[in-house]
Amino acid sequence: MDPWLIWLIAAVVFGVGEIATLGFFLAPFAGGALVAALASAAGAGAALGWAVFLVVSLILLAGLRPLARAHRRQAPRLCTGTAALVGRSGMVVERIANDEGVGCVRIDGEVWTARSYDDDDVIEAGKRVQVVEIRGATALVTE
């Protein structure tokens, strides 16, 4: 089997390994193997192929891994819409009783239909509650 084909197979194996692990550790080695395959196809010997593989892999690893790690440390995305209400507190403006199908709560100045997260709980008007979940246009709350 030709050396360039072996390097190409190694590049594919490293690439598939990178896709499977998502650690951005094997991708530089896949790049090094790909460049070594090109060098071998151009007529470089085995020793030169290994040297090209090691040098390119180390350069890619040293240059790209810090960028990938910094990208992973980015702040989480900002929650918007109803997802932003989960965890907020609100004030019960109408008694919440799931069995009667009544209840409203004021969250950030808006009045929402509300139900107790626990079906047996009855929450009286004037109590502070925490939003646990939003289902449609109904806030599920708990004391």
Side-chain angles (χ1 to χ4, degrees):
M1 191 179 298
D2 291 333
W4 68 269
L5 188 57
I6 294 172
W7 282 116
L8 190 60
I9 291 170
V12 169
V13 168
F14 281 129
V16 169
E18 175 61 38
I19 291 169
T21 60
L22 299 175
F24 203 73
F25 181 73
L26 296 175
F29 296 105
L34 189 60
V35 174
L38 293 174
S40 290
L48 186 58
W50 277 101
V52 166
F53 169 71
L54 290 174
V55 169
V56 171
S57 296
L58 291 176
I59 289 172
L60 288 174
L61 187 65
L64 297 178
R65 186 149 170 87
L67 292 173
R69 292 184 72 156
H71 183 69
R72 288 180 61 181
R73 283 188 241 128
Q74 287 182 346
R77 292 186 177 216
L78 185 64
C79 290
T80 59
T82 59
L85 297 177
V86 175
R88 297 259 175 111
S89 63
M91 179 71 68
V92 177
V93 294
E94 180 184 330
R95 182 174 160 263
I96 300 172
N98 290 6
D99 57 341
E100 298 172 19
V102 296
C104 290
V105 64
R106 183 179 308 276
I107 307 165
D108 290 340
E110 295 180 349
V111 177
W112 285 76
T113 303
R115 297 292 176 259
S116 175
Y117 188 72
D118 183 15
D119 284 334
D120 299 331
D121 284 349
V122 174
I123 306 171
E124 298 298 326
K127 295 271 187 164
R128 297 290 278 162
V129 291
Q130 291 286 346
V131 178
V132 177
E133 184 180 345
I134 302 288
R135 286 190 192 154
T138 302
L140 298 178
V141 298
T142 186
E143 284 188 272

